[in-house]
Amino acid sequence: MGAPEPPGSRRPGGRTARNRAAVVEATLAELARHGYPGLTVENVAERSGVHKTTVYRRWGGVDGLIVDALDAAGEDDWPAPVTGSWETDLRAVAYEVVDTFTDPERAAVPSAVVHAAFHSERAATALHGFLAGRHSRAADAIARGALPGSVDAAAVVRSVTAPLYCRLFITGERVNRDVADQAVAAAVAAVRAGVYG
Amino acid sequence: MGAPEPPGSRRPGGRTARNRAAVVEATLAELARHGYPGLTVENVAERSGVHKTTVYRRWGGVDGLIVDALDAAGEDDWPAPVTGSWETDLRAVAYEVVDTFTDPERAAVPSAVVHAAFHSERAATALHGFLAGRHSRAADAIARGALPGSVDAAAVVRSVTAPLYCRLFITGERVNRDVADQAVAAAVAAVRAGVYG
């Protein structure tokens, strides 16, 4: 089987782009509604109005749908928080994770994607790329917020998100703004102690 | 359907206990070999020498097997590292996580269990209990290692393991002893700054 044509590679703004947008939107909606185990090409085709054979031909299957939805999400204009200080930027990043994952409606899609990554190498690779992009944008933001230039900004961002993701997806412990505040305080202490360069 | 009889609850040392030990061992061996998606009652029955109908009756199915294997693992005599100082205890905990998950043979079972927790609420609850037990033993150990009494030892342990688990299971980034050292250094800086009480 040949590699599928990269979605959206033809006639930007034409039917190909419209189909991709509709399929990505339908994939996210289906993930939000049924989670990863309930995602099917049939349902995405029906919801998007794109013919099932087109979805199979261009996306290959469920994994391809998730990969493309993550790629599309990574191309968005998510603004990393810019508050003027790297410490409050970090807090804003941490709060955004907490607020997203404690709201069942907002949590549905990202949770389903993490779930998918456990099933599929391709989904995992796409998730890793998506998170690396988010971390990198947040790192750029805190680096502009007067973080000392020698500090590894990406490591600082990861040190704040890791305790939250670990609780959410591994240990099943609660997350809330207090947990986020503690993660930020720990990151700030570590930066001041020179742990991140 | 009634609740299954708690495994091992009858005649300790007798056939019930022997069956449980054989089934737990077979469950772990099957998880190591085939991962969570390949775990079946049939294979566990065959490997353990316990009749399939007995396995179904007492463990209910794949989820029950994983839950009991985790319960059994939590009853073990895992010794939290006791090195004489809380900082080197912490480093030993972090290195144990790194060494386990960078050795494919040792990583197979715990990785399969984390995978299972994404599929099954019961497996997730059992995993959360298992990790809480491990964290609590490690916290007791570092508390004896001259960690100031006011410090939340469990929070310190979690702050060291979280960056490792997050890389392993969420962001797909490498773990190694350098990453562990950085996590320990960050935890030590946070303790000194009073972040954990």
Side-chain angles (χ1 to χ4, degrees):
Chain A
M1 215 174 65
E5 179 181 83
S9 61
R10 213 168 22 160
R11 287 192 304 165
R15 183 186 293 173
T16 300
R18 282 199 310 274
N19 278 355
R20 185 201 182 196
V23 165
V24 163
E25 193 183 318
T27 299
L28 296 174
E30 287 291 316
L31 278 174
R33 179 131 187 213
H34 304 293
Y36 175 72
L39 186 69
T40 67
V41 168
E42 284 73 10
N43 290 349
V44 168
E46 192 176 329
R47 188 187 278 266
S48 66
V50 175
H51 199 280
K52 197 169 76 172
T53 54
T54 306
V55 176
Y56 272 115
R57 193 178 66 243
R58 285 192 35 204
W59 282 271
V62 162
D63 284 356
L65 289 170
I66 289 176
V67 168
D68 197 37
L70 273 165
D71 287 350
E75 294 157 13
D76 70 359
D77 51 2
W78 177 71
V82 177
T83 64
S85 118
W86 65 272
E87 297 187 34
T88 49
D89 286 352
L90 268 186
R91 179 165 291 110
V93 168
Y95 283 0
E96 184 166 336
V97 173
V98 168
D99 294 349
T100 298
F101 285 98
T102 51
D103 174 347
E105 208 161 301
R106 290 170 69 193
V109 169
S111 300
V113 167
V114 173
H115 190 160
F118 273 80
H119 288 260
S120 150
E121 275 300 320
R122 288 181 62 206
T125 303
L127 173 64
H128 301 161
F130 173 78
L131 288 171
R134 284 292 198 254
H135 280 157
S136 149
R137 285 196 226 175
D140 289 348
I142 69 166
R144 283 195 304 272
L147 185 74
S150 58
V151 173
D152 178 350
V156 178
V157 171
R158 282 194 301 253
S159 78
V160 162
T161 55
L164 304 172
Y165 289 139
C166 185
R167 283 171 171 258
L168 286 162
F169 295 111
I170 309 296
T171 65
E173 295 164 299
R174 277 175 70 85
V175 301
N176 54 39
R177 289 191 164 207
D178 289 343
V179 173
D181 285 336
Q182 192 178 59
V184 171
V188 169
V191 168
R192 294 210 171 117
V195 171
Y196 300 116
Chain B
M1 216 173 62
E5 179 181 81
S9 63
R10 214 168 20 161
R11 288 191 302 164
R15 183 186 292 172
T16 300
R18 284 199 308 276
N19 277 356
R20 187 203 183 194
V23 166
V24 163
E25 194 185 317
T27 300
L28 296 174
E30 288 291 317
L31 278 175
R33 179 132 187 214
H34 304 293
Y36 174 74
L39 186 69
T40 66
V41 168
E42 285 72 11
N43 290 350
V44 168
E46 191 175 329
R47 187 185 278 266
S48 66
V50 176
H51 200 280
K52 198 170 75 174
T53 55
T54 306
V55 176
Y56 272 116
R57 195 178 65 243
R58 286 195 33 207
W59 282 271
V62 162
D63 285 355
L65 289 169
I66 289 176
V67 168
D68 197 36
L70 273 165
D71 287 350
E75 294 157 13
D76 71 358
D77 51 2
W78 177 71
V82 176
T83 64
S85 118
W86 65 271
E87 296 187 34
T88 49
D89 287 352
L90 267 186
R91 179 165 291 109
V93 168
Y95 283 0
E96 185 168 334
V97 173
V98 168
D99 294 350
T100 298
F101 285 98
T102 50
D103 174 348
E105 208 161 300
R106 292 170 67 191
V109 169
S111 300
V113 167
V114 173
H115 189 159
F118 273 82
H119 288 260
S120 148
E121 275 298 321
R122 289 182 61 206
T125 304
L127 173 65
H128 302 160
F130 173 78
L131 288 172
R134 284 292 199 256
H135 280 157
S136 150
R137 286 197 225 175
D140 290 347
I142 68 165
R144 283 196 303 274
L147 184 75
S150 58
V151 173
D152 178 350
V156 178
V157 171
R158 281 194 303 253
S159 78
V160 163
T161 55
L164 304 172
Y165 289 139
C166 185
R167 282 170 173 258
L168 286 162
F169 295 111
I170 310 294
T171 65
E173 294 164 298
R174 277 175 70 85
V175 300
N176 54 38
R177 288 191 164 207
D178 290 343
V179 173
D181 285 336
Q182 192 178 61
V184 171
V188 169
V191 167
R192 295 213 170 115
V195 171
Y196 301 115

